[in-house]
Amino acid sequence: MCRFILAQGRFPARDILEAAVGMSCGRTADHDGPVHVHPHGWGAVWREDGAEHGLGVHRDIRPLAESWRESPVPNLTTDFLAIHARNATLPENHGIQYTHPLFRNDELPWYFMHNGFLPTVHTLLGMESSTFDSREYFDYVIPAGAHTIDAEQALRLLDAIPPGGTSGNAIAVNSREAYLIHWTSPDNASPRYFTMQRLRTPEMTVISSEAIPDLAPVDQWEPLKPGIVQVIPITSADVQLLHS
């Protein structure tokens, strides 16, 4: 169970990072989920001209609240930023190899952040047992060699996951575009916990696991409808805001 946030447009990176810090500590928790604190590492991915794959990346196994000031993120100037704070569902899955964003070095490299627990998805990959559900979900919903995510196909894949998990909420990023996946198993016990919230202003679009009062009053946030895969353009320094 994790928390994440993405911002697109014109925004202070420090504000988005501080919003993620608040979620990681439970300061903005207003939901029906059992987890309020997310201390098991964090990571970020952002658009950066001149960086490898056109994307900057940071990972840290320490709690976000303890280590964010030592990262490059507060001082970034970028028009796309996604941040993930992790609470490991299984105690053995700790360490940098489990810290999001996960990475796959395909012909078109991908970065992936997941919020939820999908312990049965490995069966659809032909595996006898699961070793790390987020990695298995990554490989399932974005097959090796894929350059895009087809929304209809992705939702069919999600609906085919056997019962026993919670959510497939995810942010997937390559050098061309990002994708928001908003999908939760129909039998999960915490629907509000997994409902993403969106804030739209003339300057920016923010999509977050929780409404963040420090960014805007709660009544300015809108819950996203379930079962969507949304493309987020990130290829231009003057991106057109995601208002659809």
Side-chain angles (χ1 to χ4, degrees):
M1 306 278 196
C2 307
R3 302 278 84 179
F4 57 54
I5 186 170
L6 71 82
Q8 180 218 38
R10 293 177 293 277
F11 55 86
R14 188 185 187 97
D15 290 357
I16 304 303
L17 181 55
E18 289 181 348
V21 172
M23 286 194 290
S24 76
C25 297
R27 288 201 298 265
T28 57
D30 180 18
H31 54 66
D32 54 1
V35 177
H36 288 73
V37 180
H38 303 77
H40 300 139
W42 71 283
V45 59
W46 60 91
R47 201 182 73 82
E48 181 179 327
D49 290 331
E52 187 176 16
H53 316 309
L55 298 166
V57 182
H58 178 80
R59 299 182 186 87
D60 197 312
I61 63 172
R62 297 172 293 174
L64 173 54
E66 297 177 7
S67 57
W68 66 271
R69 292 180 179 84
E70 300 173 39
S71 78
V73 180
N75 300 314
L76 291 176
T77 299
T78 184
D79 50 27
F80 174 82
L81 171 64
I83 301 169
H84 181 279
R86 185 167 184 257
N87 180 79
T89 305
L90 301 178
E92 64 269 23
N93 287 354
H94 287 198
I96 196 67
Q97 69 269 38
Y98 302 107
T99 304
H100 301 223
L102 307 180
F103 176 66
R104 196 173 67 214
N105 193 20
D106 288 353
E107 178 184 356
L108 181 66
W110 286 90
Y111 294 90
F112 190 79
M113 298 174 170
H114 173 216
N115 173 26
F117 183 47
L118 296 175
T120 64
V121 73
H122 72 279
T123 63
L124 300 172
L125 297 174
M127 300 170 60
E128 292 187 2
S129 61
S130 174
T131 57
F132 180 31
D133 69 292
S134 291
R135 171 64 67 177
E136 292 146 12
Y137 173 39
F138 182 5
D139 292 340
Y140 175 66
V141 78
I142 309 174
H147 287 198
T148 62
I149 299 177
D150 178 88
E152 292 185 4
Q153 179 184 22
L155 292 172
R156 285 195 297 269
L157 290 172
L158 287 159
D159 290 339
I161 296 174
T166 56
S167 176
N169 285 350
I171 299 168
V173 187
N174 61 46
S175 60
R176 299 174 179 174
E177 54 200 3
Y179 296 83
L180 174 77
I181 300 173
H182 187 231
W183 179 92
T184 298
S185 174
D187 59 354
N188 91 90
S190 304
R192 284 184 57 218
Y193 181 83
F194 293 111
T195 297
M196 302 289 292
Q197 304 289 324
R198 179 170 57 191
L199 170 69
R200 297 187 287 191
T201 77
E203 297 293 315
M204 65 180 180
T205 296
V206 178
I207 301 175
S208 174
S209 296
E210 297 171 10
I212 309 295
D214 286 348
L215 294 178
V218 172
D219 62 6
Q220 293 184 21
W221 294 79
E222 57 180 326
L224 290 183
K225 64 181 181 180
I228 61 169
V229 177
Q230 190 156 18
V231 181
I232 302 169
I234 63 169
T235 54
S236 169
D238 186 20
V239 294
Q240 182 178 356
L241 281 180
L242 177 67
H243 280 328
S244 60

